[in-house]
Amino acid sequence: MFLEPHFKGQRSGWIEVICGSMFSGKTEELIRRLKRSKIANQRVEIFKPGIDKRYGEEKVVSHDANYILSTPIDHSSRLLQLSEGVDVVGVDEAQFFDEDLPENCQRLALRGIRVIVAGLDMDFRGLPFGPMPNLLAVAEYITKVHAICPHCGNLATHSYRLVQEEATILLGEKDRYEPRCRTCYHMGNILDLRLRGVEGG
Ligand code: ZN
């Protein structure tokens, strides 16, 4: 369980990253931390990429329908303009943001802001997703959360795509994705290649 750090002397900003596969509870954990900040009377703003319109324009919603109001933005530079006088900035679905996100999060932290970023660490191919690897490199605190693999019951780290669609970004829920452990993810990919008559894997 993540506990907020305490500082002696001058208050400093920092970056926290919450990452993992789909259905791993990233957004629940983001919402938990932001709610605790509100209880501590801190000014909180939440942002998400304009691309993610699954649940409505202004909500960050987790899969268990827990939500808080958020502002959709099209570029991470907007974070700098919209965070005047804010103590805590939350960013959800960070993998969909531009490559300037790590730099802009660092600028916020230098202003003394606590920045909490949640996002998918890997895409459906198992490759680092968008700005996430660079964000992980510059963050003070990293929390990797896990789903449960429905095939074997082990911890799931990968997002397995259930439909044949090659685009990296394909928004979807349990109709399109399934969390899987490394082994079941790999076995699924081999099976898919065989079904499609492609050798290898
Ligand atoms: Zn498994």
Side-chain angles (χ1 to χ4, degrees):
M1 176 88 61
F2 182 86
L3 290 175
E4 294 77 1
H6 289 278
F7 287 95
K8 291 175 181 165
Q10 188 183 354
R11 198 178 90 92
S12 166
W14 69 89
I15 301 171
E16 298 163 34
V17 176
I18 303 161
C19 66
S21 69
M22 293 191 71
F23 315 110
S24 61
K26 299 180 299 297
T27 301
E28 285 93 333
E29 178 60 18
L30 175 66
I31 290 173
R32 186 185 77 84
R33 294 185 195 182
L34 295 172
K35 283 185 171 171
R36 286 163 67 85
S37 299
K38 285 187 177 175
I39 291 168
N41 287 319
Q42 295 184 313
R43 286 157 296 177
V44 174
E45 287 288 339
I46 308 109
F47 301 95
K48 67 175 187 177
I51 184 179
D52 188 12
K53 297 190 172 139
R54 280 176 293 179
Y55 304 103
E57 293 286 308
E58 292 182 341
K59 291 175 182 173
V60 167
V61 187
S62 67
H63 295 289
D64 65 359
N66 202 352
Y67 73 85
I68 45 179
L69 289 179
S70 72
T71 306
I73 55 174
D74 288 325
H75 193 274
S76 64
S77 59
R78 294 282 290 152
L79 292 171
L80 304 174
Q81 298 156 4
L82 297 172
S83 300
E84 290 291 331
V86 172
D87 300 305
V88 182
V89 166
V91 179
D92 198 22
E93 302 288 358
Q95 74 278 357
F96 293 143
F97 272 103
D98 51 278
E99 63 184 19
D100 295 336
L101 182 65
E103 174 63 27
N104 286 320
C105 287
Q106 292 190 92
R107 288 185 185 176
L108 292 177
L110 277 174
R111 291 183 187 173
I113 295 173
R114 176 186 178 193
V115 186
I116 314 173
V117 185
L120 287 167
D121 44 13
M122 288 182 274
D123 64 18
F124 81 102
R125 291 187 179 86
L127 299 173
F129 207 147
M132 289 300 287
N134 289 341
L135 207 52
L136 287 161
V138 299
E140 274 88 347
Y141 305 101
I142 296 166
T143 304
K144 192 148 180 165
V145 287
H146 302 96
I148 297 295
C149 178
H151 298 278
C152 69
N154 288 319
L155 291 180
T157 47
H158 289 62
S159 302
Y160 184 79
R161 187 177 280 181
L162 299 165
V163 293
Q164 293 295 336
E165 171 64 58
E166 293 303 316
T168 300
I169 296 178
L170 173 69
L171 295 181
E173 293 299 324
K174 292 197 167 160
D175 56 327
R176 285 171 161 175
Y177 294 97
E178 183 176 82
R180 289 195 180 187
C181 72
R182 183 184 296 279
T183 303
C184 294
Y185 171 83
H186 189 63
M187 294 303 285
N189 281 346
I190 291 171
L191 203 62
D192 280 351
L193 288 171
R194 291 211 180 121
L195 287 173
R196 282 188 284 158
V198 182
E199 287 298 316

